[in-house]
Amino acid sequence: MVKYFISILLVILLIPGLDFTIVYGQNIQSEYPINGPRVDEILFVYHGTPEASVAALRKGDIDILSDIFRASDVNALSEDPNLNLTFTPQTHYCYVAFNIRNSPLNNKEIRKAIAHLVPRQEIANRLFEGITVTPILYETSPTFGKWHNPDVDVYPYDPSKAKEILISAGFGWDENGKLIDEYSNLVGKITMISPTQEEAPTSYEIAKLVVEEMKKVGIDAYQEGVAFDALLTRVLTERDFDMYFLCVSNLGRFPRWLYDYYHSNLDVPDGDNTPGVRDPQLDQLLYKFRFESETDDEAMEAILDAQDIIGDLAARTPVYSRYQIEAYRKGWVGMIKHRGVGYFSSGAFWTYLNLHTSEAETGGTVKIDIGGKVRTLNPLYETGAYGQKIITLIYDSLLASDPDTGEVIPYLAEDWNVEALTLNGHEGQKLIFNLAKNATWQDGKPLTSNDVKFSIEYLKENKIPTFLPVVEQVIEVNAPSPQVVEVTMNGTSIFNLIDVGGIIIIPEHIWKDVSDWRTFQPDREPHPSSPGLTKMIGSGPFILSEEKPGEFWRLTANPNYFKKLQEKSQPSETEEKIDEEMVQQPNQINMYLVAIAVMIVLAASYLIIKRRKRESITH
């Protein structure tokens, strides 16, 4: 019955426009930013396998588990009386990517044919029991509203269509059924790399299914399982692959990542344009969207046209989107829903400021599964979601975002102004940020406008791939006083404030002597003047106090945090609702009532069946 209920619940979650999450003990906030943290420590633990993570949660070794994707785990955890479960739609998708730099995948028609061989529904049914994922065809999904182009080329599973595309492109088959080109030469071997079966069994099986489908149409396809760290290095840095399968999450309100994924400027080591797309027309549209659009309408026109080209290129093909399913032990309250992210995963920053037990508003240690391997804690190099869980609690940015609306809100910068400028006959902007006067680094040194200036200039001068787009339009940074930063921008893009406001701020006194940003491991080097600390110094709410890489990371509350909780706060009328509740947007009441009605009918049907069968069913 539990499995049946969860299946229906997740179907209800798919109702267009409906956004609610089943939660327990949610602490609803109305104003941000908030002060904290309330807990003394966070202990992130790596368990290695989903089985080990689930077992640790059920035994009480940890309190929180995110990224639950196996249907069997969802069913088991939902029956545990000591746990609560949350389901949140997220901006997430998993995809198969092609290296289009080399033959034979530099041929667009082969890529399109393979895209038609991805058995999305079989993947969802066989590996996820049709519960935790939704097969998708669009890279920019309908959840992005007006930014989604519904008319792009898509590639549903269709082996006959795949063969038709190959034949139209001049390919054929030899007497052994192997694919040959128009000159009767065998098409070269194609290897799809994936994590090992031991490390990521689901990803391994997905790659296996795709390779099997490729072999059925005569493609000389193979699977290679590699350690996850090695996979990321081969894909992101070395570009040593033919095909791979990965996922991306926390995509934000706008499809800004399309610039990162497809502009030729990001076809560099550690850039996100891993397939190697270099299309001048696409570059022009993406640049216009990202940096030259002054209104939503201008940006929308450019990105919708860009999606047409992206669809035709078929350099990546989406496979599925997944709900953020999380479980936590009863007794923890104060968690905050982050739209498109969840409650505890990477990007759920406000939860970690407000989380506490129902018995005490402050103090204690919360133990959390990290989710997967952490390559590095270098904040300029680590792009993985698991490392970012730690990094985002240690380092800050000028602005933050409202967890529900995504709108920018004050943070390190208490307020800001945007002034129009004329630069050599062209329009520009000056962004003026007024910093919090009590902000300090975790080693006690003051955080000033010079640190902000240094951070932006360091990212720009070193051409750090992850941050290339956000510093692209920065012309000059000035620090006229310790608490004022002025950033001169080329153009008047609607994204200028978001870009600069979201830049990670690093301490000049630590990073000024770092010449090789890729190899620097701040968590492994002792602080030059503060015993007990490392060079992993930020201004955020938590300090890295202890670690055993590959096993655990202990974070302690930062006593110098500029948003530190000053005194015990009184609960508001909406806080700490222990009973199960559903939270929905005001303009979605009608759809919410429909969902409630469906669930009531299901519950009534269940009770009738129970009575008739005289069975005792616990759920």
Side-chain angles (χ1 to χ4, degrees):
M1 181 60 191
V2 172
K3 178 179 177 181
Y4 176 64
F5 174 79
I6 291 173
S7 299
I8 296 298
L9 170 63
L10 292 177
V11 169
I12 292 172
L13 284 171
L14 290 174
I15 297 175
L18 185 63
D19 181 18
F20 70 84
T21 304
I22 286 190
V23 296
Y24 298 76
Q26 183 188 18
N27 189 321
I28 304 173
Q29 295 289 328
S30 59
E31 293 185 3
Y32 296 90
I34 59 177
N35 292 348
R38 292 176 178 270
V39 296
D40 294 330
E41 290 185 332
I42 300 175
L43 181 65
F44 287 107
V45 184
Y46 175 65
H47 291 98
T49 66
E51 292 85 356
S53 298
V54 169
L57 180 64
R58 301 194 70 176
K59 288 192 299 181
D61 293 340
I62 58 173
D63 303 301
I64 295 168
L65 177 62
S66 295
D67 301 308
I68 302 167
F69 59 88
R70 300 190 311 177
S72 59
D73 294 335
V74 174
N75 292 325
L77 294 173
S78 67
E79 294 175 339
D80 192 316
N82 299 308
L83 302 174
N84 291 326
L85 226 58
T86 69
F87 301 78
T88 308
Q90 60 174 336
T91 51
H92 162 283
Y93 72 99
C94 296
Y95 60 89
V96 172
F98 307 96
N99 189 338
I100 72 173
R101 301 171 183 85
N102 308 313
S103 178
L105 291 174
N106 60 352
N107 187 314
K108 179 171 63 177
E109 302 308 312
I110 288 187
R111 301 197 298 271
K112 290 183 176 183
I114 296 174
H116 278 297
L117 297 173
V118 178
R120 296 169 181 81
Q121 194 61 56
E122 182 181 359
I123 289 169
N125 292 341
R126 184 194 294 189
L127 302 180
F128 302 98
E129 297 185 27
I131 292 179
T132 59
V133 305
T134 303
I136 60 172
L137 296 172
Y138 296 97
E139 194 161 6
T140 306
S141 72
T143 59
F144 285 90
K146 67 181 181 180
W147 304 98
H148 160 69
N149 185 344
D151 300 320
V152 303
D153 291 340
V154 293
Y155 307 94
Y157 175 68
D158 190 342
S160 297
K161 183 65 175 177
K163 290 182 179 180
E164 180 184 319
I165 290 173
L166 292 171
I167 292 171
S168 297
F171 292 93
W173 290 265
D174 66 10
E175 63 277 8
N176 297 315
K178 299 295 185 182
L179 190 67
I180 56 176
D181 63 21
E182 58 186 316
Y183 304 108
S184 298
N185 297 316
L186 286 171
V187 172
K189 174 182 175 182
I190 298 176
T191 300
M192 185 171 184
I193 61 175
S194 72
T196 63
Q197 190 168 25
E198 295 76 19
E199 194 170 14
T202 304
S203 295
Y204 181 88
E205 289 300 318
I206 289 171
K208 181 179 178 181
L209 286 173
V210 173
V211 167
E212 287 174 351
E213 292 291 331
M214 292 168 65
K215 288 181 176 180
K216 289 178 184 178
V217 298
I219 298 175
D220 190 21
Y222 297 86
Q223 179 182 7
E224 180 186 357
V226 296
F228 190 67
D229 289 351
L231 185 149
L232 293 179
T233 299
R234 287 177 60 176
V235 168
L236 296 174
T237 306
E238 299 171 353
R239 309 305 208 218
D240 177 23
F241 67 93
D242 296 328
M243 295 171 57
Y244 69 86
F245 173 83
L246 279 178
C247 301
V248 61
S249 60
N250 196 14
L251 295 173
R253 298 167 58 205
F254 309 101
R256 296 190 300 157
W257 84 91
L258 292 178
Y259 177 90
D260 302 34
Y261 270 27
Y262 292 106
H263 197 282
S264 60
N265 283 352
L266 275 298
D267 181 21
V268 295
D270 300 305
D272 285 332
N273 184 355
T274 55
V277 172
R278 290 181 173 269
D279 184 291
Q281 184 182 2
L282 180 58
D283 276 356
Q284 185 178 6
L285 288 168
L286 290 172
Y287 194 89
K288 180 179 180 181
F289 161 72
R290 195 69 174 75
F291 303 120
E292 296 178 344
S293 297
E294 299 180 5
T295 65
D296 275 13
D297 288 343
E298 290 180 6
M300 188 168 63
E301 180 181 1
I303 202 59
L304 294 184
D305 288 344
Q307 288 174 51
D308 277 329
I309 297 175
I310 291 169
D312 179 63
L313 286 172
R316 286 182 177 88
T317 186
V319 180
Y320 63 78
S321 181
R322 179 164 56 83
Y323 298 99
Q324 179 55 265
I325 304 176
E326 302 171 290
Y328 63 96
R329 301 195 69 76
K330 291 180 178 178
W332 286 99
V333 296
M335 59 286 302
I336 295 170
K337 176 186 175 183
H338 294 62
R339 183 181 292 270
V341 174
Y343 288 84
F344 305 103
S345 62
S346 175
F349 175 77
W350 301 113
T351 282
Y352 293 103
L353 285 188
N354 203 48
L355 189 66
H356 58 97
T357 68
S358 57
E359 297 179 350
E361 291 193 10
T362 59
T365 298
V366 60
K367 294 167 285 186
I368 304 172
D369 180 83
I370 192 66
K373 282 191 174 181
V374 175
R375 279 203 305 167
T376 175
L377 288 183
N378 181 331
L380 307 189
Y381 191 49
E382 175 62 286
T383 58
Y386 310 128
Q388 285 296 322
K389 282 186 179 181
I390 298 171
I391 290 170
T392 54
L393 296 176
I394 294 174
Y395 294 92
D396 285 328
S397 54
L398 292 173
L399 303 178
S401 61
D402 184 286
D404 183 52
T405 67
E407 297 288 344
V408 294
I409 56 177
Y411 191 57
L412 272 177
E414 294 180 328
D415 57 67
W416 63 88
N417 291 303
V418 180
E419 295 182 357
L421 295 175
T422 300
L423 304 166
N424 299 321
H426 299 284
E427 291 185 346
Q429 288 179 336
K430 179 181 287 186
L431 309 179
I432 304 171
F433 297 95
N434 297 303
L435 304 182
K437 295 180 176 59
N438 63 330
T440 66
W441 297 108
Q442 291 165 351
D443 57 8
K445 296 183 183 297
L447 188 157
T448 72
S449 56
N450 285 327
D451 291 299
V452 179
K453 173 180 167 67
F454 170 83
S455 299
I456 297 173
E457 291 177 344
Y458 188 92
L459 297 177
K460 192 171 181 69
E461 290 169 3
N462 286 278
K463 299 180 179 180
I464 297 174
T466 303
F467 298 92
L468 277 178
V470 299
V471 297
E472 172 80 20
Q473 298 299 294
V474 173
I475 295 176
E476 183 181 29
V477 186
N478 291 308
S481 72
Q483 267 70 51
V484 178
V485 182
E486 298 177 347
V487 184
T488 303
M489 305 294 292
N490 181 28
T492 56
S493 167
I494 59 174
F495 299 123
N496 279 349
L497 182 64
I498 299 174
D499 284 340
V500 175
I503 290 174
I504 189 170
I505 306 303
I506 54 177
E508 181 179 11
H509 65 281
I510 297 292
W511 283 81
K512 64 182 179 180
D513 297 322
V514 177
S515 57
D516 187 349
W517 61 270
R518 276 189 176 89
T519 60
F520 181 46
Q521 302 219 39
D523 57 310
R524 311 289 178 87
E525 297 189 21
H527 192 283
S529 59
S530 298
L533 294 179
T534 67
K535 289 184 178 179
M536 192 159 184
I537 295 296
S539 57
F542 289 93
I543 299 172
L544 180 67
S545 58
E546 183 185 7
E547 67 172 343
K548 191 171 183 180
E551 294 187 22
F552 71 87
W553 299 261
R554 188 182 303 277
L555 276 59
T556 56
N558 175 13
N560 298 317
Y561 181 47
F562 75 105
K563 301 292 294 181
K564 181 181 178 182
L565 192 67
Q566 296 300 320
E567 58 184 24
K568 183 176 181 180
S569 60
Q570 297 299 318
S572 68
E573 294 180 358
T574 57
E575 283 186 330
E576 300 178 10
K577 297 182 179 179
I578 303 302
D579 294 333
E580 175 177 329
E581 60 183 275
M582 290 184 179
V583 182
Q584 73 286 327
Q585 299 306 305
N587 63 349
Q588 296 166 338
I589 296 298
N590 290 335
M591 288 180 285
Y592 168 67
L593 292 175
V594 171
I596 290 293
V598 172
M599 297 176 74
I600 290 172
V601 170
L602 291 171
S605 300
Y606 166 60
L607 291 174
I608 292 171
I609 293 170
K610 178 180 178 181
R611 181 175 181 179
R612 288 178 177 176
K613 293 187 175 182
R614 300 180 182 276
E615 294 177 344
S616 176
I617 302 176
T618 303
H619 69 95

